[in-house]
Amino acid sequence: MPNVPGEMLQGLRAMGLLDPGATARGQPLAGGVSSDIWRVVLPDGREVCVKRALPKLKVAADWQAPVVRNRYEARWLTHAREAAPCSVPLLLGQDEATGTLAMEWLAPEAYPVWKERLREGRADAAFAAEVGRRLARIQARMAQRPDISSDFPTDNLFHAIRLEPYLVATARAHPDLAPALEALVARTAATKRTLVHGDVSPKNILVGPKGPVFLDAECAWWGDPAFDLAFCLNHLLLKCLWTPRAARDFLGCFDALATAYLAGVGWEAPATLEARAASLLPGLFLARVDGKSPVEYLTEEQDKDRVRRVARALLQCPPDRLRTVRFAWEEELGL
């Protein structure tokens, strides 16, 4: 195993996980675009997962993001674990000077990534429902804690790493849709309901022995929970083009996740939240082909055009129910 980078070692020492002057070995992990992530073996044999936020994300576009987001990820992990202990890794420490945090190591043999399951066509509607159920549980609990909103002064950060690269950038690619997309940005930014994860994606959800485990809350924000719902559902739609043989099952997961999530919404009328998620979803859908962070598995222009066709029509006539988005995509796929 190679030596762990110096700044990570400094962070581990500052957290009290590594003695002064001691070193550690580890293994860099693939998959992240916003952080360096390592599996680190400490001198006493303990394994930990260490993340260090990057100032420039690993994408083709020039996408800068403040490394202070590491602080808010640590806070999200702490608060979310109060609501759903089995659904969040245990935070071991965080060092702001190096932008580093450490969590318990969850071995991939026991905690496979949901995205890989979906890539294989393994679409488990019961698991998708549990994702929705636990996400709603965390948000419901946090909605009862408005006092913690001051722990997440991240409006500018959320704009920089979510609203701008997804919706604002897509508005530049589709000038005729700019008013609709900019209105989504303004509404999302102004809606303050509960603690938002900001990156609820299958790549950030582990299939654990006791259900889903949420990772990578670098975009944590006190704001609109409809963003989390729409962001995750968006991936289930896109996966229909990645693994077409499982498309019907992915749409079943879409229904299961949305239904379970909305059943757990108690901080506002579920239909009101659903309307925001349904109208936001086409913007996020289009963003994953024409924003700053296109999904890596859609490489054929004909597939991108299918996304554009459906998303553009829905942005021009905004839906207020998620099933409207689902049925439009189902029709485009000819299912």
Side-chain angles (χ1 to χ4, degrees):
M1 283 186 176
N3 289 324
V4 174
E7 287 195 348
M8 282 190 177
L9 291 177
Q10 293 173 30
L12 288 167
R13 291 173 188 138
M15 295 176 220
L17 295 173
L18 192 64
D19 290 336
T23 189
R25 294 184 177 275
Q27 178 182 12
L29 304 179
V33 300
S34 62
S35 297
D36 283 332
I37 308 174
W38 281 62
R39 176 174 69 91
V40 175
V41 182
L42 299 175
D44 62 6
R46 285 181 299 160
E47 292 183 286
V48 298
C49 179
V50 183
K51 292 183 62 177
R52 187 173 67 85
L54 298 172
K56 182 184 184 302
L57 278 62
K58 303 172 190 174
V59 295
D62 183 17
W63 186 353
Q64 307 284 332
V67 295
V68 71
R69 64 189 185 273
N70 187 273
R71 172 197 305 167
Y72 304 113
E73 177 173 14
R75 292 179 182 177
W76 185 93
L77 288 168
T78 299
H79 289 302
R81 194 170 174 85
E82 298 171 9
C86 295
S87 299
V88 181
L90 177 64
L91 177 68
L92 300 176
Q94 192 258 340
D95 176 56
E96 293 191 14
T98 57
T100 303
L101 67 79
M103 303 172 288
E104 65 176 319
W105 170 250
L106 301 176
E109 309 84 60
Y111 292 86
V113 178
W114 191 25
K115 179 178 179 179
E116 290 309 305
R117 291 282 183 94
L118 296 175
R119 181 185 63 80
E120 296 165 358
R122 299 166 68 180
D124 183 345
F127 181 82
E130 192 62 19
V131 170
R133 191 173 297 114
R134 294 196 187 186
L135 179 61
R137 182 185 307 162
I138 293 169
Q139 292 180 342
R141 175 73 173 271
M142 295 303 104
Q144 298 171 356
R145 295 281 314 279
D147 57 296
I148 70 169
S149 63
S150 60
D151 290 345
F152 296 91
T154 55
D155 286 7
N156 291 339
L157 179 59
F158 192 81
H159 186 276
I161 58 181
R162 277 297 169 263
L163 299 179
E164 195 285 329
Y166 286 87
L167 301 176
V168 177
T170 302
R172 290 194 292 269
H174 296 266
D176 61 315
L177 295 176
L181 290 164
E182 289 165 0
L184 290 173
V185 170
R187 186 192 69 195
T188 301
T191 303
K192 302 292 186 177
R193 293 287 187 274
T194 188
L195 183 57
V196 174
H197 179 285
D199 198 5
V200 182
S201 162
K203 72 178 175 62
N204 293 331
I205 299 173
L206 304 181
V207 183
K210 297 181 179 179
V213 177
F214 298 95
L215 307 176
D216 292 343
E218 293 184 9
C219 307
W221 171 59
W222 187 270
D224 188 359
F227 186 91
D228 278 349
L229 177 60
F231 199 86
C232 193
L233 292 174
N234 188 36
H235 285 276
L236 293 174
L237 297 179
L238 292 164
K239 297 296 182 287
C240 293
L241 294 175
W242 197 24
T243 312
R245 60 185 169 79
R248 285 188 182 278
D249 293 332
F250 292 153
L251 294 180
C253 287
F254 179 104
D255 294 339
L257 194 157
T259 299
Y261 176 89
L262 292 170
V265 174
W267 59 88
E268 63 179 303
T272 301
L273 187 150
E274 182 183 3
R276 295 199 309 275
S279 55
L280 176 61
L281 181 49
L284 296 176
F285 197 41
L286 186 59
R288 297 319 295 260
V289 297
D290 290 326
K292 283 188 178 179
S293 183
V295 290
E296 81 285 358
Y297 50 82
L298 292 188
T299 57
E300 299 295 328
E301 203 62 28
Q302 61 184 11
D303 284 338
K304 296 178 183 180
D305 283 341
R306 300 180 89 175
V307 173
R308 294 179 181 121
R309 188 157 47 241
V310 170
R312 286 182 56 83
L314 291 169
L315 284 164
Q316 290 164 342
C317 186
D320 61 2
R321 291 294 175 263
L322 290 165
R323 64 175 177 266
T324 304
V325 182
R326 180 232 204 266
F327 290 150
W329 188 229
E330 185 176 36
E331 184 177 2
E332 170 65 31
L333 296 176
L335 299 177

